[in-house]
Amino acid sequence: MSGARALSRPARTGLLLLLGVVAIHAALIPLGPGGMLVPPDLLYCLVIAWVLRAPDAPPVWLLVGLGLAADILLSRPIGLGALGLLLAAEVAGRNRILLRGLPFPAEWAAAAIGYALILAGIYAALRLTFAEAPAPYDLLRYLVATALAYPLVALAVAWGVRLRTAERAHPRERLT
Amino acid sequence: MALGKDSDPDYFGSLRRLLILISAGLLLALFLVWRIDNARVEQFRVTLLDRVTPGFEWTLRPVAATARMIADLRAWRRVYQQNEELRREVQRMQGWREAALQLEQKNARLLALNNVRLNPRLTYVTAEVMADAGSPFRRSAMVNVGRADGVSDGSTVVDGLGLVGRIAGVGERSARVILLTDASSRVPGVVLPSGQRVMVSGDNSVAPPLDFVGQAEALRPGDRVVSTGDGGLYPPDILIGRVTLGADGRQRLRPAADYRRLDFVRVLRRAPPPVIEGPGEIIGPLAAQPDLPPAPPEARQ
């Protein structure tokens, strides 16, 4: 299906793994611990931008592994972030053809709404289990930072990684 | 849905759906385990961080250093103004230095008169901040000292000026510092001129609010808050910060530690004071009751 210049499936999996590790690692850089800065969730941006552009969905184990690693290393509640990432990637993957047919601002808004739902879910789960939940204001800043980072990550994925051949070669994949 | 591959049979899709369901169940179970046995899972998290972070340190540091250089470059524009400010500050500080020297001599004389023995067990180890928390769920940082350096859970962390937080989670070569501003941080303090006892309760904001204030009207913005040592976790008389009035009208604390430039911190290694339990051997062996039957063998073990 894919052209000669697009990456093969194992290469795509390996590259997503590598970029995912870089995205988790970037959040750990101590630019201002305890300060006002909230790092964006680059892993979410990367996975959603990737899923919308790659010809097939990444393997489940990769999404679960990356999500769990991010939860553990970024001191988030363990399990919930990975679950949110997995579900968001799946929903995005199933609606890929629809989302790719829309202009970019709509895709951007969909990614931001998806992340807002994830954060709301995490917040609700933490409150339901009587765990300490961060202030909604902090989560809002996290959401804003992630939403602002999404176009940059999407641009990097679209231009930097040749996930598929030019879309015009796949008229069937466009809105049918 | 065949996800762009028309030739694939649909059972790949259903297999994937099943996998996702199983994974979702497992992740939910993992979250519950984290809630139920938090201490053990957090220890696992620290152990993993201990393994992972030192391997990445060589990449973390140059990026952080570059970011700091850019921040410093911005400060160049007002270098003249800063110079003037610093000169004025030096003048003021020279006055303070004289006062401090005199006080030090006076203090030394008084201590000699009183024959005071200070606690010699308060030593510290200086650590470098390696990594940030990376998400808004915790206000914490990783430092590059651990159990091998004599750091233990609950050790106090200070920077040059004031309290930074405490150690929560120790690995072999790294440890996690929970900052004062974290939602799980509570530090008992005393406001100095008025002597009011307060609790500095972090809430993930930059300026933690002051709780349990006896007389709120006795506190004025700018008053110093130092730790009391109540509860035995933090040593007494460490500067925490100054009282300030938050935008919401609550009395809050502006930490004395400079969180924006938190690159080196001191971790205090403090042996807990010995707890005296029972009369000990001073009064004599408890052999005054000869009528007691001999202890059963399992009690002696």
Side-chain angles (χ1 to χ4, degrees):
Chain A
M1 289 287 280
S2 52
R5 284 185 300 166
L7 291 171
S8 66
R9 190 176 158 82
R12 279 199 305 269
T13 305
L15 191 62
L16 181 58
L17 176 65
L18 185 73
L19 290 178
V21 170
V22 170
I24 296 170
H25 172 238
L28 281 175
I29 295 170
L31 291 181
M36 293 291 290
L37 285 171
V38 174
D41 191 347
L42 291 178
L43 182 65
Y44 173 81
C45 300
L46 171 73
V47 167
I48 296 300
W50 185 282
V51 163
L52 291 181
R53 281 162 186 81
D56 55 2
V60 176
W61 62 263
L62 182 62
L63 294 177
V64 172
L66 282 176
L68 265 184
D71 280 354
I72 293 174
L73 295 180
L74 304 184
S75 49
R76 303 193 298 201
I78 290 176
L80 289 183
L83 182 62
L85 184 73
L86 181 67
L87 294 183
E90 197 53 24
V91 171
R94 287 188 188 282
N95 298 306
R96 166 181 15 207
I97 297 170
L98 170 71
L99 283 168
R100 288 296 293 152
L102 296 175
F104 181 74
E107 178 195 330
W108 187 7
I113 291 170
Y115 202 61
L117 290 178
I118 291 179
L119 285 183
I122 291 179
Y123 186 76
L126 288 178
R127 294 309 289 259
L128 274 179
T129 54
F130 305 103
E132 281 167 7
Y137 173 65
D138 276 320
L139 289 181
L140 193 69
R141 277 174 38 200
Y142 199 31
L143 172 64
V144 169
T146 306
L148 288 180
Y150 183 78
L152 302 177
V153 178
L155 195 73
V157 170
W159 289 90
V161 187
R162 187 161 267 288
L163 285 173
R164 58 161 81 192
T165 48
E167 269 178 69
R168 290 197 171 79
H170 299 279
R172 258 180 309 156
E173 278 199 9
R174 317 205 98 203
L175 256 180
T176 45
Chain B
M1 192 175 293
L3 295 174
K5 287 188 181 179
D6 295 353
S7 55
D8 270 357
D10 198 34
Y11 79 58
F12 272 124
S14 49
L15 185 69
R16 187 179 168 85
R17 220 166 293 164
L18 186 70
L19 258 177
I20 285 173
L21 266 179
I22 294 172
S23 309
L26 283 178
L27 288 173
L28 219 53
L30 205 58
F31 169 67
L32 290 179
V33 169
W34 176 72
R35 276 307 293 146
I36 292 163
D37 197 357
N38 197 288
R40 204 165 301 181
V41 180
E42 287 295 330
Q43 185 55 44
F44 169 71
R45 193 205 291 267
V46 168
T47 315
L48 203 77
L49 271 171
D50 190 34
R51 287 277 169 82
V52 170
T53 338
F56 279 133
E57 211 180 337
W58 59 274
T59 56
L60 291 172
R61 271 191 203 165
V63 179
T66 315
R68 263 185 218 130
M69 270 162 68
I70 293 169
D72 287 347
L73 268 179
R74 270 190 228 136
W76 272 6
R77 279 185 297 174
R78 26 182 238 103
V79 72
Y80 175 75
Q81 207 180 339
Q82 267 182 340
N83 223 339
E84 289 290 303
E85 275 169 25
L86 286 175
R87 230 170 260 156
R88 276 197 295 274
E89 209 164 309
V90 165
Q91 262 181 355
R92 262 205 316 275
M93 290 300 151
Q94 270 168 347
W96 278 109
R97 183 169 170 270
E98 272 309 306
L101 280 177
Q102 286 173 15
L103 282 175
E104 190 187 3
Q105 286 168 5
K106 193 172 164 190
N107 194 21
R109 272 205 309 278
L110 290 174
L111 286 181
L113 281 176
N114 279 330
N115 200 10
V116 173
R117 171 180 283 186
L118 289 177
N119 188 355
R121 275 180 296 233
L122 195 64
T123 59
Y124 62 82
V125 52
T126 302
E128 190 171 3
V129 174
M130 280 198 300
D132 207 343
S135 73
F137 292 91
R138 280 259 172 272
R139 292 280 185 266
S140 67
M142 295 288 299
V143 292
N144 65 346
V145 296
R147 207 175 287 117
D149 307 283
V151 172
S152 59
D153 263 330
S155 296
T156 307
V157 181
V158 295
D159 76 346
L161 200 53
L163 188 65
V164 170
R166 70 187 146 84
I167 297 284
V170 196
E172 201 52 37
R173 285 264 161 222
S174 64
R176 196 170 64 147
V177 183
I178 293 281
L179 304 180
L180 272 187
T181 50
D182 186 87
S184 63
S185 163
R186 301 281 180 277
V187 188
V190 58
V191 183
L192 264 193
S194 58
Q196 290 283 319
R197 303 239 156 182
V198 293
M199 185 69 84
V200 182
S201 326
D203 64 348
N204 280 348
S205 69
V206 180
L210 300 173
D211 279 345
F212 303 108
V213 184
Q215 293 175 315
E217 62 276 6
L219 266 58
R220 278 177 319 210
D223 285 357
R224 295 166 72 234
V225 182
V226 299
S227 63
T228 58
D230 288 347
L233 189 58
Y234 295 94
D237 297 329
I238 290 185
L239 180 64
I240 309 175
R242 288 178 185 277
V243 177
T244 172
L245 207 60
D248 54 351
R250 267 184 97 179
Q251 278 165 331
R252 288 176 176 267
L253 176 120
R254 183 170 300 282
D258 189 359
Y259 280 133
R260 295 214 178 133
R261 305 192 145 258
L262 208 61
D263 29 12
F264 290 98
V265 292
R266 283 177 189 173
V267 183
L268 303 185
R269 288 182 293 198
R270 177 173 181 241
V275 181
I276 298 168
E277 287 172 353
E281 304 295 322
I282 310 163
I283 299 170
L286 294 175
Q289 298 151 323
D291 301 336
L292 284 176
E298 66 266 22
R300 259 181 271 146
Q301 283 168 2

